[in-house]
Amino acid sequence: MRGAVIYAPGDVRFESLDDPKILQPTDAVIRTVATCVCGSDLWPYRGAEPIGDPHPMGHEYVGIVEEVGSEVANVRPGQFVVGSFATSDNTCANCRNGWQSNCLHREFMSTCQADYVRIPNAHGTLVATDEHPDSEMVPSLLAVSDVMGTGWYAALAAEVKPGSTAVVVGDGAVGLCGVIAAKELGAERIIAMSRHESRQKLALEFGATDIVSERGDEGIARVKDLTGGIGADSVLECVGTAESMRQALHSTRPGGNVGFVGVPHDVAVDGQELFFSHVGLRGGPAPVRRYLPDLIDRVLSGRINPGKVFDLTLPLDQVAEGYQAMDERRAIKALLKP
């Protein structure tokens, strides 16, 4: 088969790889229908994370089951499936408590920008749709496998409630999906922080009521101005930088909550400052598997359309262009089709 391999910052190649095989009785192999480039893939692409030896890339996927191990009973060959970027057995104590992304047998997917993918813990990771979806549904179902599920978790971690005010820090795919989540959870006011016109328009389409283009102290002051000088009830931090975390914490009212889902890079939180702020803080890798049935239903019923975050579609063999376009902010998110 063929797949993406990263060699060095800015160097992603599409080359021949070994076909995936069933290695454990809980594995499945799927034929990729669609995959994509994630904003978190840009960290190593930009040199902000070590790469080490060349290795495959990609953790978002939808596909058709080709083969299953002997212990996989919930999906069968021929079914269309959606999975999470973090695999889970869905039976351990952490999974039963709703934290499948901290499953005791968790593996993070990392080979999905390819024609075929081996799915560990397939019995607890994959969710099959009742029938093969129409092609126009595929982008939104792909979004559910990570960015929509992650945006949903950010809103829940920030405790977005009906009638509340929410701020979304970050206008990438996760942040935009966080706007959808805040709207679905009943926020009355949703302030999207964005400096890019195309992303501002999509945020407004998804349910944002206000746009703040300022950053740093100016952005915090603008949020305070919009919230009567107090700050927001809930803030979704969807970037992962020191600046974005500071912006999120300082935009939250006393007693409010920050949900942080941007993979942290050089982020440090002042414990004393947090102590006296009365701001709650929860985050981490989203337990996407917990939300899959609900989010798949919302997509298939037409209630949400997170697939609009894909503003560039390429054949899989042009994956390097997808990385470059996202790195240069010519695209929010690149969808790849084998």
Side-chain angles (χ1 to χ4, degrees), residues 92-114:
C92 77
N94 290 344
C95 288
R96 293 197 305 272
N97 285 328
W99 297 98
Q100 289 92 335
S101 53
N102 224 313
C103 174
L104 295 176
H105 300 101
R106 174 188 67 190
E107 295 185 39
F108 286 112
M109 297 299 299
S110 61
T111 63
C112 298
Q113 292 164 4

Side-chain angles (χ1 to χ4, degrees), residues 167-213:
V167 169
V168 179
V169 179
D171 62 359
V174 171
L176 291 167
C177 287
V179 172
I180 295 175
K183 179 72 172 178
E184 287 291 293
L185 293 172
E188 184 175 302
R189 193 171 195 182
I190 303 170
I191 301 168
M193 306 194 81
S194 171
R195 297 194 300 183
H196 304 90
E197 184 177 358
S198 62
R199 301 179 187 211
Q200 292 172 353
K201 289 180 179 178
L202 193 52
L204 292 169
E205 182 179 345
F206 282 164
T209 56
D210 302 88
I211 299 292
V212 169
S213 58

Side-chain angles (χ1 to χ4, degrees), residues 35 67 75 83 95 101 124 143 156 177-178 268 285 290 329:
T35 182
E67 184 181 2
V75 298
C95 288
S101 53
L156 290 176
C177 287
R290 188 204 313 178
R329 290 190 177 272

Side-chain angles (χ1 to χ4, degrees), residues 27 40 153 158 163 186 201 219 226 229 235 243 258 274 303 336:
D27 289 350
S40 62
Y153 171 57
K201 289 180 179 178
L226 291 170
V235 178
E243 181 186 36
V258 172
L274 184 65
R303 181 164 175 168
L336 305 167

